[in-house]
Amino acid sequence: MEHPDTGARADFAVVDIDRERRQGLPEVVYAPGKDLHEITAIVGELTANCSGPVLVTRIEADAAAAVLADVPDGHYHRRARLLTWRPAARRRCRVCVVTAGTADGRVAEEALQVCLAVGLDAHLVADVGVAGIHRVLNRVDELRAADIVIVVAGMEGALASVVGGLVGCPVVAVPTSTGYGAALNGMTALAAMLTSCASGMSVVNIDSGFGAAMAAHRLAYAIEARG
Amino acid sequence: MEHPDTGARADFAVVDIDRERRQGLPEVVYAPGKDLHEITAIVGELTANCSGPVLVTRIEADAAAAVLADVPDGHYHRRARLLTWRPAARRRCRVCVVTAGTADGRVAEEALQVCLAVGLDAHLVADVGVAGIHRVLNRVDELRAADIVIVVAGMEGALASVVGGLVGCPVVAVPTSTGYGAALNGMTALAAMLTSCASGMSVVNIDSGFGAAMAAHRLAYAIEARG
Amino acid sequence: MEHPDTGARADFAVVDIDRERRQGLPEVVYAPGKDLHEITAIVGELTANCSGPVLVTRIEADAAAAVLADVPDGHYHRRARLLTWRPAARRRCRVCVVTAGTADGRVAEEALQVCLAVGLDAHLVADVGVAGIHRVLNRVDELRAADIVIVVAGMEGALASVVGGLVGCPVVAVPTSTGYGAALNGMTALAAMLTSCASGMSVVNIDSGFGAAMAAHRLAYAIEARG
Amino acid sequence: MEHPDTGARADFAVVDIDRERRQGLPEVVYAPGKDLHEITAIVGELTANCSGPVLVTRIEADAAAAVLADVPDGHYHRRARLLTWRPAARRRCRVCVVTAGTADGRVAEEALQVCLAVGLDAHLVADVGVAGIHRVLNRVDELRAADIVIVVAGMEGALASVVGGLVGCPVVAVPTSTGYGAALNGMTALAAMLTSCASGMSVVNIDSGFGAAMAAHRLAYAIEARG
Amino acid sequence: MEHPDTGARADFAVVDIDRERRQGLPEVVYAPGKDLHEITAIVGELTANCSGPVLVTRIEADAAAAVLADVPDGHYHRRARLLTWRPAARRRCRVCVVTAGTADGRVAEEALQVCLAVGLDAHLVADVGVAGIHRVLNRVDELRAADIVIVVAGMEGALASVVGGLVGCPVVAVPTSTGYGAALNGMTALAAMLTSCASGMSVVNIDSGFGAAMAAHRLAYAIEARG
Amino acid sequence: MEHPDTGARADFAVVDIDRERRQGLPEVVYAPGKDLHEITAIVGELTANCSGPVLVTRIEADAAAAVLADVPDGHYHRRARLLTWRPAARRRCRVCVVTAGTADGRVAEEALQVCLAVGLDAHLVADVGVAGIHRVLNRVDELRAADIVIVVAGMEGALASVVGGLVGCPVVAVPTSTGYGAALNGMTALAAMLTSCASGMSVVNIDSGFGAAMAAHRLAYAIEARG
Amino acid sequence: MEHPDTGARADFAVVDIDRERRQGLPEVVYAPGKDLHEITAIVGELTANCSGPVLVTRIEADAAAAVLADVPDGHYHRRARLLTWRPAARRRCRVCVVTAGTADGRVAEEALQVCLAVGLDAHLVADVGVAGIHRVLNRVDELRAADIVIVVAGMEGALASVVGGLVGCPVVAVPTSTGYGAALNGMTALAAMLTSCASGMSVVNIDSGFGAAMAAHRLAYAIEARG
Amino acid sequence: MEHPDTGARADFAVVDIDRERRQGLPEVVYAPGKDLHEITAIVGELTANCSGPVLVTRIEADAAAAVLADVPDGHYHRRARLLTWRPAARRRCRVCVVTAGTADGRVAEEALQVCLAVGLDAHLVADVGVAGIHRVLNRVDELRAADIVIVVAGMEGALASVVGGLVGCPVVAVPTSTGYGAALNGMTALAAMLTSCASGMSVVNIDSGFGAAMAAHRLAYAIEARG
């Protein structure tokens, strides 16, 4: 196996600039726990050493503004808490992001905006939870036109199972921390999605719209590799 | 408040023979942890001191046969593991027991047979899990004709939310221990049902077909009290 | 099955305006996680397309005032955190809400006020926890006069079992997050109520006074359907 | 502090023969995980070096018979799974062991028989669970005559709270693993008892009739020390 | 059984004024979740209808000052967060409160001050955790002079087992939420104390210095009843 | 949406014969909890009404032999506990199943054999756990040649993160119940995989080799739909 | 970094024959989940390609006899369930294995025998649990003479904290699954040891005598590397 | 065993001034839950009665400044939240602290600075998480030059297993609370490290950089004792 020469090593971080070659996308920066100067330095390394889109996730508006002051030409999406530079050209992979309720919107927005930032052809089908099952049934054609469906749902997460049974393509379920009491901060939706009666779904971490978008990127990577 | 004179006190048990007066049904005997002679003695007390149906739940076939040898004129339902004497006359309350999959059948059977034994007008809609959502949609009329719907489902328990959104009457959800891994022996279905997006459902203990049937009995009791 | 034409679809929400037909009550709005303009818009849709009472739950006083400024003729109940328009006419179903201690009052108030807002004949029996068992025994007549009893209790939730044994009608138990340490934010009361020795009780989510009221509405719906 | 010279040291065990002096009772042998020859050897050491009663707990009938063949003059109580030599003379402390249901009988029997073996004045009040609250109310005089009450209950364990409110003396609650599903093998009863609204109760481990009896012994020790 | 006429019933509370007769101590007021006017009203009822000490636990300094303004002649102990009126005369029961570390001090103080307020002869042995085992060994005489020992410890709670093996009298263990990570907010100390190798200890809820003091009160009640 | 006429309804089951049209594969039969005659009947329905491969998973050798006696021309794979009829023609999608240790072999075999049975081009890379990291590094070319990688690992599941960082294609992680103690029957591996530092992996239920194979089928379905 | 050429690759296993060079000890075979022929083959590879001791852990007597029939000159230790070939020469590192009770003996035996098999100078101090604290205090000199102390304890695991405070050398704590109820199969001892007030202890998995012995081997490796 | 005369006893604390003799290092002060005057008093006792380095851990900058005003000549390390007086002379033991990501930096800094303060020869290898496995492989020589490696990692903690397989010396794993959702505040990393496939690693509490440093101190103590 190759041993790339470590790339850009700082005191505090070793940026994996080889990742773009291995996985078709530069390393993405997860903001929590990092100082502003660390974020700025890492973004600088990525911009200098990679050619694809550069993303910072889960960054609040104030911090984003401070980073943008240092690293210009970026764009901040407030609801998705996403900071981007050099968004990718549109790729052919169609992603449908479906949500059970309006309270799941912020996580869905992260999934949607990360998909768009890395070039996927993504759109949103919102608020079609199963308590009114006709809502999702009326949108079946949109779901079936996608190459991958991301289902974002909290509480009991039942929408994932229904969607999983309606479409044949890959379904990635994102449990959210919406709800209270026995919702257990998303653990219930997580466990429910993992034990879904609709086979072949897979699951990412609670509230991880980013993780689902990256799963979509991997799918697009595989489809493109086949071309 | 009344203080009934304790009724039938044995060394090992104090049979609550006043319960039939308070709740319209004699105490029901839960077999696990009781010796055969204890079951026989309690059934004898209930038969002697009450007028309604006498039930023993969760009793295996061998034990049931032994008890029947001592207390004649009873009937054993093997799949429901239910032993009954003096089944009740048919009452007007219509119960629909719905299951997600065939593996939930044993719990559903307990719910169904206890309902029938206490006189409710119950029937079964089996194997209509949400992975093929059209299956339950095709049975909506049956569901809507009921006074109470009991939904029996394991794994992620999503069927309860869908049914809860389709009908207006009381819905009692019974999580089952069907499934493995993240199903957590029914805890996932239990938590999922408690956090359902379909409001007004209520939940009983894991695998407790009996508990759901008793909830149906309470509903019938209330309806009859209105008459 | 019918496929109602989705009703009022906004960018962010698909209001289930068919629900009033299916379940006898318009969709109820859960405020947490929704912006003010979203709440206002959804309330507007419900008011325009439905005829029954419109409710917003778990809304704080400031937000309620802002919504009321946009949508007049509503009423805010501070302790229940409930916002209502067009309260229903009184229906015949009698609900008794019982609490174990004063710390359970807020959840009980939500149960009580939602019941009243949807037209049920509800009243409160407060602070009759089992550490002084004579308190609940002195109120047995009130409990037995109800069509449904809602028991609100935190800590170990023992009151539910005692009440469940005293009355014959449906009992819905609401565990609360009252307590500390081993109370586990209400999980202990929840599990205790699910394993109650009083058969036929059913349980809703922790702190969900709303859920219990909706269970009462479903009961009333069934009773009315019998008429 | 004293440093007793370790007493009887074997390869596999260091019998704490000083314990009788410190706590008024020889070390009690817990059988599970010990070979027969280990049990026999330890009992031999205790018999030789102590003067009080010698007990082996949780020992099955076959093993007990084998040990009795080697160490004569003992007595085996099958339901309590208790093996004893030299039972103590009757002490003045009155213990009342109360159970919620017949399924808790085995644990209650261990509590009762260990109390008797160490000389306490113990008796049983069985099957007075709260689903029929009059059963325990009818026995209040017996409860109030005790110096300590041991409450043995599984499922939701509500009996402990009711008893805790009825008597002024020490109450030790023993959760049992009776029940299924959300009973969580006794964890629910355990947590419920720890969060009881009846103040001043204390709790021992699940199914530990022995632990409760030892708590009663400690109480008797304190009362005797006052004399 | 007696049925005292409920005593002082308010809209929000039913004060159990019979408790002093049943248990030798008036009901104690738990402040969290109660409004100031509720606390004041309940304290007023207790002062008027009972003769013993009146206590409010877990009340912060501001709230205590406000209540004291309305109900004079009380005393506030800041570290124990305890408000008292009419402290009891000294009773003969000797209580030793032992702590593992200084971080457990607040809980220990609640145990100590409640004991003193109800008349017990209590004192503190602080900071003798087992990491330096000689510290507790040097205090054995003080421990052995007590009628009951309360052990307050967080983290792994090992001090309880050591003390439980050193004394013959009742030992009540109070797990605290001291610690982080695997301490699990006191659950680890709680479970550790419940499974202690020192037999006959009993356990109260996490951080419940109050509960341990009430267990001591029950012991004193039993000793006094013997006199 | 379409409402297929429910297909083959038996007393005990409603076979979803429309699933092949929706998802490119007939319903797969999960054996646990089903009687032999139920399995046989369902397989008969699927064979008669569908054209693709028919699979029964988690069926033991004895049961498989009995079913094969009734429904000929099938094949049983003992290690995978898989029974198949009409295996699919080879499809273009390349699947690499990777295992951390030999103890994960049974789950990996289920993944592998289900992939082969539904026509995917699958092979195994066994026993390359990270305790000897060179083992997986020596197989990187094989991993990178795949369209999808399935990582099967128990204990801490670290292999999934390493593989997730080495390849760009979709990675589905299957936690196994291998290990003891803190492995928590696979829950630790499950949680570890969900929080992997390698982004874009997705996870299926514990021991669900079947679930991972179905995720691979969904990927192939999407790739084929693009053609 | 080196990339050793993978060594001995079989269909089912990739034996890490480079491990002896990296870590001073050949790979150790964990028997559960492996067939006899797999164990035999792996042992053969290790014997042929390595020079140090070859160990198989957690192997039952029957399986051990079968393997020994194929691979001669080995030795089986029944209580430790350990199979060894070519035991190592004595190394200078002194290990003291301490147990709380006789029920921890099997796990302690695994720790002891693995230490001896890899050449460490190990001995056992048994049954010195803290309920009789003088037992461990009487053995302090033995503990202080060791280079590393392994503490094996179940239930609440308090012995680890006491020993951790008595010695200055490394202490490795092994929680065992001894106990019941709140012992939670060893999770309580595990969590207790992780939160010990004695600083600098470290912990291995539940019942992992092997893991502790390997930690001792690592210590010896470091000491030898300093020489 | 010795019984040192308790040393410095205050009302609130019993400083273990004998610890330096037993373990080669004075007691370390854990700041949370202690008042400033308590910290100052304890530091004063330690400075007066011991000769080695005095440390206060987890102390925030404000509190540190206040203590330093009273006890001069100390030094505060802000990122490690560590306050020290009389740092030790350099000892020969080489410690390598390795981190998976920048978010683990604060815990790693505590480990590093405590090691340095007690005289160990420690340095940091930062941000070499396994998602880019070449990063840690490029640092193998640094890892292998150490006498002990401390691995600090959150989320799934996979780095610990990889490092554990690369080096022969003792490895202490520190799980961190980095991550969200299924990371469970560090419990997932903790459980993962305890079940690592790399044998002989040991684990300390979540976020306990201090605990790992103390384990390193114990190792150095053992090595020095051999000299």
Side-chain angles (χ1 to χ4, degrees), chain F residues 48-226:
Chain F
N49 292 285
C50 302
S51 62
V54 173
L55 284 73
V56 180
T57 64
R58 300 220 173 177
I59 184 164
E60 300 301 332
D62 287 357
V67 173
L68 284 172
D70 276 352
V71 191
D73 296 327
H75 175 258
Y76 182 62
H77 191 291
R78 181 184 295 263
R79 190 145 207 250
R81 290 183 292 171
L82 180 69
L83 190 51
T84 58
W85 291 262
R86 298 191 311 215
R90 185 63 64 96
R91 293 150 77 190
R92 279 202 319 152
C93 184
R94 295 159 303 184
V95 183
C96 182
V97 179
V98 190
T99 76
T102 49
D104 304 318
R106 195 164 183 169
V107 175
E109 200 68 37
E110 186 186 56
L112 184 72
Q113 296 302 328
V114 172
C115 281
L116 293 172
V118 304
L120 306 179
D121 179 5
H123 82 293
L124 184 67
V125 170
D127 196 29
V128 295
V130 303
I133 191 71
H134 57 282
R135 294 184 295 190
V136 65
L137 298 179
N138 282 324
R139 311 293 284 273
V140 163
D141 289 348
E142 286 175 73
L143 299 176
R144 292 197 174 145
D147 294 310
I148 181 169
V149 177
I150 293 171
V151 184
V152 181
M155 300 165 88
E156 92 284 39
L159 181 63
S161 293
V162 171
V163 169
L166 289 171
V167 305
C169 72
V171 175
V172 175
V174 188
T176 73
S177 51
T178 302
Y180 56 91
L184 295 173
N185 301 315
M187 291 304 290
T188 293
L190 172 61
M193 287 164 168
L194 284 162
T195 55
S196 172
C197 57
S199 60
M201 291 208 311
S202 59
V203 184
V204 296
N205 197 7
I206 296 165
D207 289 337
S208 186
F210 169 70
M214 284 298 98
H217 161 71
R218 284 181 181 267
L219 175 73
Y221 180 96
I223 291 175
E224 291 157 1
R226 307 281 333 190

Side-chain angles (χ1 to χ4, degrees), chain B residues 67-107:
Chain B
V67 172
L68 284 172
D70 276 352
V71 191
D73 297 327
H75 175 258
Y76 182 62
H77 192 291
R78 181 183 294 264
R79 191 143 206 249
R81 290 182 293 172
L82 180 70
L83 190 51
T84 58
W85 291 263
R86 299 191 310 217
R90 185 64 64 94
R91 294 151 74 190
R92 277 202 321 152
C93 183
R94 296 158 302 185
V95 184
C96 181
V97 179
V98 190
T99 76
T102 50
D104 303 317
R106 194 164 184 170
V107 175

Side-chain angles (χ1 to χ4, degrees), chain G residues 59-182:
Chain G
I59 185 165
E60 300 301 333
D62 287 357
V67 172
L68 283 173
D70 275 352
V71 190
D73 297 326
H75 175 258
Y76 181 63
H77 192 290
R78 182 184 294 262
R79 191 145 206 248
R81 289 183 294 172
L82 180 69
L83 190 50
T84 56
W85 290 263
R86 300 192 309 217
R90 185 64 63 97
R91 294 150 77 189
R92 279 202 318 152
C93 183
R94 294 159 302 184
V95 183
C96 183
V97 179
V98 191
T99 76
T102 49
D104 303 318
R106 194 164 184 169
V107 174
E109 200 67 37
E110 187 186 54
L112 184 70
Q113 295 302 328
V114 171
C115 281
L116 292 173
V118 304
L120 305 179
D121 179 6
H123 82 293
L124 184 68
V125 171
D127 196 28
V128 295
V130 302
I133 191 71
H134 57 283
R135 293 184 295 190
V136 65
L137 297 179
N138 282 324
R139 310 294 283 273
V140 163
D141 290 347
E142 287 175 74
L143 299 175
R144 291 198 175 145
D147 295 309
I148 180 169
V149 177
I150 293 171
V151 185
V152 180
M155 299 164 88
E156 91 286 40
L159 181 62
S161 293
V162 172
V163 170
L166 289 170
V167 303
C169 72
V171 176
V172 175
V174 188
T176 73
S177 51
T178 302
Y180 55 91

Side-chain angles (χ1 to χ4, degrees), chain A:
Chain A
M1 202 199 96
E2 76 293 321
H3 271 201
D5 197 320
T6 307
R9 191 187 302 174
D11 279 356
F12 56 83
V14 182
V15 181
D16 181 8
I17 58 174
D18 179 62
R19 193 170 299 177
E20 186 170 25
R21 184 186 64 78
R22 294 198 313 276
Q23 305 191 315
L25 198 69
E27 189 177 345
V28 172
V29 185
Y30 176 70
K34 293 194 179 68
D35 296 339
L36 284 181
H37 79 94
E38 291 176 336
I39 294 172
T40 301
I42 295 170
V43 167
E45 292 284 355
L46 290 166
T47 308
N49 292 286
C50 302
S51 62
V54 172
L55 284 74
V56 180
T57 64
R58 299 222 172 176
I59 184 164
E60 300 301 332
D62 287 356
V67 173
L68 283 172
D70 276 353
V71 191
D73 297 328
H75 175 259
Y76 182 62
H77 191 290
R78 181 184 295 263
R79 190 143 206 251
R81 290 183 294 173
L82 180 70
L83 190 52
T84 57
W85 290 264
R86 299 191 310 216
R90 185 63 65 94
R91 294 150 76 189
R92 280 201 319 152
C93 184
R94 295 158 303 184
V95 183
C96 181
V97 179
V98 190
T99 77
T102 50
D104 303 317
R106 195 164 183 169
V107 175
E109 200 68 37
E110 187 186 54
L112 184 71
Q113 295 302 328
V114 171
C115 282
L116 293 172
V118 305
L120 307 179
D121 179 7
H123 82 293
L124 185 67
V125 169
D127 196 29
V128 294
V130 302
I133 191 71
H134 58 283
R135 293 184 296 191
V136 64
L137 298 179
N138 282 323
R139 310 293 283 273
V140 163
D141 289 349
E142 286 175 73
L143 298 176
R144 292 198 174 144
D147 295 309
I148 180 169
V149 177
I150 293 171
V151 184
V152 181
M155 300 165 87
E156 92 284 39
L159 181 62
S161 294
V162 172
V163 169
L166 289 170
V167 304
C169 72
V171 175
V172 176
V174 188
T176 73
S177 50
T178 302
Y180 56 90
L184 295 173
N185 301 314
M187 291 305 289
T188 294
L190 173 60
M193 287 163 168
L194 284 162
T195 55
S196 172
C197 56
S199 60
M201 290 208 311
S202 59
V203 184
V204 296
N205 197 8
I206 296 165
D207 289 337
S208 186
F210 169 70
M214 284 297 99
H217 162 71
R218 284 181 181 267
L219 175 72
Y221 180 96
I223 291 175
E224 291 157 1
R226 308 281 334 191

Side-chain angles (χ1 to χ4, degrees), chain D residues 32-58:
Chain D
K34 292 193 180 67
D35 295 339
L36 285 182
H37 79 94
E38 292 176 335
I39 295 172
T40 301
I42 295 170
V43 168
E45 292 285 356
L46 290 166
T47 307
N49 292 284
C50 302
S51 62
V54 173
L55 285 73
V56 180
T57 64
R58 299 220 172 178

